[in-house]
Amino acid sequence: MRKTIIAGNWKMNKTATETRDTLKELKELVDGVKDVEVVIGAPFTSLETAVKTVEGSIIKIAAQNIYPKESGAYTGEISPVMLKSIGVEYVILGHSERREYFKETDEFINEKVKSALKNGLRPILCIGESLEERETNKTDEVNSRQLEKGLAGITPEEAKNIVIAYEPIWAIGTGKTATPEMAESTHKEIRKVLAKLFGESVANEMTVQYGGSMNAKNAKELLEMDNIDGGLVGGASLEASTFIEVIKAGVKR
Ligand code: PEP
């Protein structure tokens, strides 16, 4: 049985004080929630506060980026070792905003995935096609390429610690969601690629999340699909009272 993981991506939102307030509220709301892992991707400046605030709850903390070196002359960058040392457990990598605005390539993302794993962080690797690519029937080709390159050199054993987030770019922050059937069919193709890379049994163990305008209203029907094992949620994760509804939709999938 695959683990359901509902993760919030806060992007460049919330000061440390706002982080503490939101997570205090969320911590109370998730009390008693079972069978789902909850992850919050907070900004670097909030991570230490976030880790301390969620102590004793089911909530785990993610960073939203790393530099793929352990230390050294990389002014302004943050290493996986630094994150691990303060109790961060996950890292969101390959998000389409980083691919687009910071020109991150599949090869660079692959270095980050390897560096995260080597230093004990679980990568949430984001993949997904643009609107133009979907309209020209390139969705599966784009996802396969991003998976094959982003996961190059990863062993099946290591793959068990990786979460994949399928995020069609046209659905991120737009209010447009893939229909559950559309997302399910893409998730099935993604799992086929994972089976080719790591074998069927490992592919069946890997959590593949959907991301793109997932919210309290549409989460249930998406999460009911066989191959949708969780969500990566942007806007709807910022308020604890909304995010808890998405989390609850993941409980009984
Ligand atoms: C995201 O950026 O990972 C995301 C899914 O954002 P939203 O839910 O706001 O579309």
Side-chain angles (χ1 to χ4, degrees):
M1 193 53 198
R2 289 187 285 272
K3 194 185 272 180
T4 304
I5 305 176
I6 306 290
N9 175 13
W10 281 0
K11 311 191 185 192
M12 198 173 71
N13 291 296
K14 295 195 190 283
T15 62
T17 307
E18 289 163 347
T19 296
R20 195 191 53 225
D21 292 348
T22 306
L23 288 179
K24 265 189 182 168
E25 203 185 328
L26 189 64
K27 188 176 172 179
E28 274 181 32
L29 293 170
V30 296
D31 192 28
V33 169
K34 286 196 186 79
D35 303 325
V36 61
E37 186 147 312
V38 178
V39 179
I40 290 290
F44 284 132
T45 46
S46 290
L47 287 173
E48 215 165 351
T49 304
V51 169
K52 285 193 183 125
T53 309
V54 302
E55 239 166 50
S57 80
I58 61 163
I59 306 168
K60 309 216 181 285
I61 299 302
Q64 301 171 18
N65 189 26
I66 51 168
Y67 192 73
K69 297 281 178 201
E70 287 163 28
S71 64
Y74 304 99
T75 303
E77 295 297 324
I78 303 285
S79 85
V81 175
M82 293 168 178
L83 297 170
K84 185 73 187 168
S85 76
I86 58 163
V88 171
E89 294 183 55
Y90 283 83
V91 59
I92 300 169
L93 295 175
H95 193 281
S96 59
E97 287 154 13
R98 295 210 61 85
R99 291 178 191 260
E100 185 185 347
Y101 306 142
F102 305 102
K103 308 291 171 234
E104 290 197 7
T105 61
D106 286 315
E107 289 72 18
F108 190 42
I109 294 162
N110 177 245
E111 278 186 54
K112 294 186 181 198
V113 170
K114 287 180 180 161
S115 180
L117 288 169
K118 185 172 171 223
N119 291 290
L121 294 177
R122 290 193 70 184
I124 300 177
L125 173 64
C126 305
I127 58 166
E129 81 287 0
S130 65
L131 184 59
E132 194 199 336
E133 287 161 342
R134 173 153 290 262
E135 285 175 348
T136 50
N137 293 322
K138 294 206 178 97
T139 300
D140 295 337
E141 182 189 319
V142 169
N143 285 330
S144 300
R145 189 183 60 234
Q146 292 183 353
L147 286 171
E148 280 162 14
K149 292 191 170 182
L151 298 173
I154 302 295
T155 66
E157 207 42 46
E158 287 172 326
K160 291 181 191 167
N161 279 320
I162 298 175
V163 175
I164 304 298
Y166 166 57
E167 298 208 303
I169 298 168
W170 48 270
I172 297 180
T174 58
K176 286 185 197 155
T177 326
T179 63
E181 294 71 24
M182 204 192 257
E184 171 66 7
S185 127
T186 307
H187 277 234
K188 269 193 191 159
E189 290 303 317
I190 289 169
R191 209 174 298 282
K192 275 192 205 160
V193 178
L194 295 174
K196 202 173 84 187
L197 294 173
F198 306 118
E200 206 148 319
S201 110
V202 171
N204 282 331
E205 273 182 55
M206 290 176 73
T207 296
V208 183
Q209 300 173 314
Y210 169 80
S213 298
M214 189 185 257
N215 58 38
K217 287 205 180 88
N218 60 28
K220 194 168 184 304
E221 53 176 14
L222 284 159
L223 293 167
E224 268 168 6
M225 295 286 137
D226 280 352
N227 284 284
I228 302 182
D229 313 314
L232 182 56
V233 184
S237 70
L238 291 169
E239 299 292 334
S241 56
T242 313
F243 193 44
I244 187 65
E245 297 307 321
V246 181
I247 294 168
K248 283 183 180 163
V251 171
K252 280 218 160 35
R253 55 174 298 274

